[in-house]
Amino acid sequence: MVKERQGKMKISIIGSGYVGLVSGACFAELGNRVICADNDAKKVAALLAGAVPIYEPGLKELIAANVMRKRLVFTSSIKEAVVKSDIIFIAVGTPSLENGEADLTGIENVAQAIAQHMNGYKLIVEKSTVPVETGEWVRKTIATYVKHAEGFDVASNPEFLREGSAIKDFMKPDRIVIGAESERARKLLMSLYKPLKASLVVTDIKSAELIKHASNSFLATKISFINAISRICDKVGADVKEVAFGMGLDQRIGEGFLSAGVGYGGSCFPKDLDAFITISERIGYDFKLLKAAREINRQQQEFFLSKIKSNLWILKEKTIGVLGLSFKPDTDDIRNAPAIDIIRALLAEGARLRVSDPSAMKKAKQVLGSQKITYCRSGYEAAKGSDCLLLMTEWKEFLDLDFAKIRRLLKRPLVVDGRNAYDPKKMASLGFTYVCIGRSV
Ligand code: NAD
């Protein structure tokens, strides 16, 4: 008999990454018994030893507290996760394939494993971001491979947390989306989420899957829209920050996601746009709007690079300081981070780099190596002896830098700001050549 008492459910989360660990720790915090499973044995060993393999504010403490209360455990055995729980969330990665499609191998593998080990009714919930109709495939896969016909439901419960504020986003979400086909599944998920007191959207599975892809694509499009406006501002000498402010006050538009800069990155927007464009094509719709949003994002990096080049002229053997490597502040995630792309482009032109990031240095070193790159402990160290300083990620410690000191450390007082984070007048008064995006200086 499945226990439906609020806050006391037996849950497993398969895939213990940014989403799986945060969801697992938060469900445990709400009083549930949670098993976080992962097929990466090294990651599970680290978690069992008390280490947290990602940086997310507050996560280490939340995990430690719930492990101590014996409400959160880790395993590399998918069997254990399936057998010991009633609700199984799938939170594995869904990266892009070469052709832009979402790679759903992890989802299929987990669906097969669940089918093999099912020992009673299970509710299987997609938390990973997946193309529309994936729920249908998960259901078919489980039905095909199931050993004992005990009954099961599939549901969709897309996750909207943002890295850097993931725990807050999970605990205080704007909305919780539940896509389910049976009353039992709906009730179980509604009861699980009841303590969060958030707006619930209860719908069918396909609509739930589409809500996630549509939301991420809309947000990415909003960023590309303001980036396109920044190009116009640049040409006519207007200020994109002023334009965005004026637009954002209109409640129909809203102020969020109207920051012009070097473009969006991260593990979600680029891959989700690719996947949504591809799945749309497959079902017979040419999503031209999203193709344009993606193209504008690509061009924005070129635009940023052209600004560096037009100020530095020859890049070969020049030293460029880089503030920030992660795709946004308060995370160590460098997947599709604009900083990494820009650094690669500068290296290809023969520049030397001095880079710094409060938490993403280890991951960056793994993908960029050390040739021609010096990893620096602070923004000041990155500026020392550099011909130019780039702001790539608006970490607080980079916003708070003492620019009079930076001015003394740089070989040449040139700052190229990919996030429009500094005050142009102040930078000019300190003697900098200050270059930003879509703002007259
Ligand atoms: P991640 O790469 O950090 O974590 C995925 C985890 O799944 C990894 O630890 C991996 O080892 C594990 N895994 C892969 N295949 C497995 C298998 N067959 N069995 C067991 N474990 C397996 O990814 P993430 O950032 O947590 O994203 C997970 C999903 O959530 C993606 O679909 C993503 O689009 C979506 N999502 C991510 C975010 C975000 O901000 N990161 C936000 C909302 C939704």
Side-chain angles (χ1 to χ4, degrees):
M1 174 66 187
V2 178
K3 288 210 179 87
E4 299 185 12
R5 204 145 47 93
Q6 184 182 321
K8 292 279 180 230
M9 298 197 187
K10 286 194 269 173
I11 297 172
S12 63
I13 318 267
I14 304 186
S16 302
Y18 287 88
V19 166
L21 279 179
V22 171
S23 310
C26 290
F27 279 137
E29 182 69 16
L30 295 173
N32 301 289
R33 304 283 297 270
V34 181
I35 302 173
C36 277
D38 204 286
N39 66 353
D40 179 341
K42 263 169 79 180
K43 188 178 262 191
V44 173
L47 285 161
L48 287 169
V52 176
I54 55 168
Y55 173 68
E56 179 61 42
L59 184 60
K60 201 169 193 291
E61 296 75 9
L62 197 67
I63 288 179
N66 284 287
V67 167
M68 195 124 91
R69 292 181 193 129
K70 300 201 185 321
R71 291 205 295 239
L72 180 61
V73 296
F74 304 101
T75 182
S76 54
S77 162
I78 306 298
K79 180 179 176 185
E80 183 190 344
V82 174
V83 168
K84 292 188 177 169
S85 52
D86 302 320
I87 307 180
I88 303 159
F89 284 89
I90 305 178
V92 300
T94 48
S96 293
L97 290 167
E98 281 281 300
N99 64 0
E101 249 176 76
D103 183 352
L104 301 175
T105 316
I107 301 273
E108 194 195 11
N109 288 344
V110 172
Q112 286 191 20
I114 292 171
Q116 275 190 333
H117 301 303
M118 264 168 40
N119 59 332
Y121 172 84
K122 306 283 171 187
L123 171 59
I124 298 104
V125 189
E126 303 170 337
K127 202 166 235 331
S128 300
T129 302
V130 289
V132 62
E133 295 183 331
T134 302
E136 195 52 34
W137 278 105
V138 169
R139 195 188 58 69
K140 279 189 207 156
T141 304
I142 295 176
T144 307
Y145 290 90
V146 72
K147 283 199 171 153
H148 310 286
E150 304 276 6
F152 69 93
D153 277 306
V154 171
S156 164
N157 168 224
E159 183 50 60
F160 297 95
L161 64 77
R162 295 161 299 175
E163 289 172 27
S165 55
I167 293 171
K168 186 184 134 277
D169 291 346
F170 190 95
M171 291 301 210
K172 290 189 170 130
D174 290 342
R175 79 299 208 187
I176 291 163
V177 174
I178 294 172
E181 239 90 89
S182 82
E183 200 47 34
R184 188 178 191 177
R186 260 188 294 276
K187 274 193 176 153
L188 265 174
L189 284 174
M190 284 165 73
S191 158
L192 174 66
Y193 279 112
K194 203 168 177 189
L196 294 187
K197 298 182 176 63
S199 302
L200 280 183
V201 179
V202 182
T203 181
D204 60 283
I205 295 178
K206 287 178 194 168
S207 302
E209 290 168 336
L210 275 171
I211 288 171
K212 176 65 190 179
H213 260 170
S215 300
N216 272 9
S217 302
F218 188 81
L219 292 172
T221 304
K222 211 173 165 195
I223 296 173
S224 281
F225 185 87
I226 199 67
N227 277 333
I229 300 291
S230 80
R231 304 293 295 275
I232 308 280
C233 289
D234 228 69
K235 286 194 187 295
V236 300
D239 186 333
V240 72
K241 275 208 162 185
E242 297 291 317
V243 177
F245 177 69
M247 286 171 66
L249 287 176
D250 185 329
Q251 285 181 21
R252 294 167 303 174
I253 297 174
E255 62 181 9
F257 287 78
L258 284 181
S259 297
V262 68
Y264 60 75
S267 68
C268 292
F269 286 0
K271 96 169 160 60
D272 292 348
L273 239 73
D274 282 350
F276 204 15
I277 290 168
T278 320
I279 188 82
S280 303
E281 239 154 39
R282 177 142 8 121
I283 56 186
Y285 180 68
D286 182 5
F287 214 144
K288 289 199 174 90
L289 176 66
L290 295 189
K291 287 181 179 169
R294 181 171 65 179
E295 178 57 15
I296 290 167
N297 198 56
R298 192 191 62 73
Q299 287 171 1
Q300 203 68 5
Q301 287 199 1
E302 283 178 6
F303 179 55
F304 183 71
L305 272 172
S306 75
K307 286 196 172 242
I308 302 171
K309 280 193 204 171
S310 64
N311 279 278
L312 276 181
W313 190 27
I314 308 295
L315 296 182
K316 200 170 172 197
E317 301 306 328
K318 292 254 168 65
T319 302
I320 299 178
V322 178
L323 305 175
L325 298 166
S326 56
F327 83 96
K328 61 187 276 197
D330 294 320
T331 179
D332 61 345
D333 198 345
I334 55 159
R335 290 177 285 182
N336 288 309
I340 304 296
D341 291 339
I342 296 292
I343 289 170
R344 286 201 170 113
L346 296 171
L347 284 172
E349 301 252 3
R352 285 193 218 95
L353 281 308
R354 294 178 65 79
V355 306
S356 184
D357 189 284
S359 76
M361 301 264 267
K362 196 168 147 209
K363 287 190 175 161
K365 209 169 188 173
Q366 281 164 5
V367 304
L368 292 170
S370 293
Q371 213 176 359
K372 290 207 155 200
I373 303 182
T374 306
Y375 292 86
C376 303
R377 273 165 305 176
S378 70
Y380 299 112
E381 221 180 292
K384 200 170 174 191
S386 291
D387 296 278
C388 165
L389 190 62
L390 310 182
L391 178 72
M392 298 305 303
T393 319
E394 64 279 39
W395 282 91
K396 186 167 184 312
E397 77 165 61
F398 299 142
L399 302 183
D400 293 343
L401 285 171
D402 172 355
F403 270 89
K405 184 171 168 187
I406 293 281
R407 167 98 169 74
R408 291 192 296 276
L409 289 168
L410 281 169
K411 200 194 279 182
R412 171 182 171 171
L414 172 62
V415 171
V416 185
D417 180 352
R419 299 293 175 183
N420 282 349
Y422 302 121
D423 177 358
K425 284 201 184 85
K426 195 173 160 207
M427 296 300 274
S429 74
L430 286 168
F432 283 100
T433 302
Y434 175 64
V435 181
C436 48
I437 312 263
R439 306 189 76 190
S440 46
V441 179

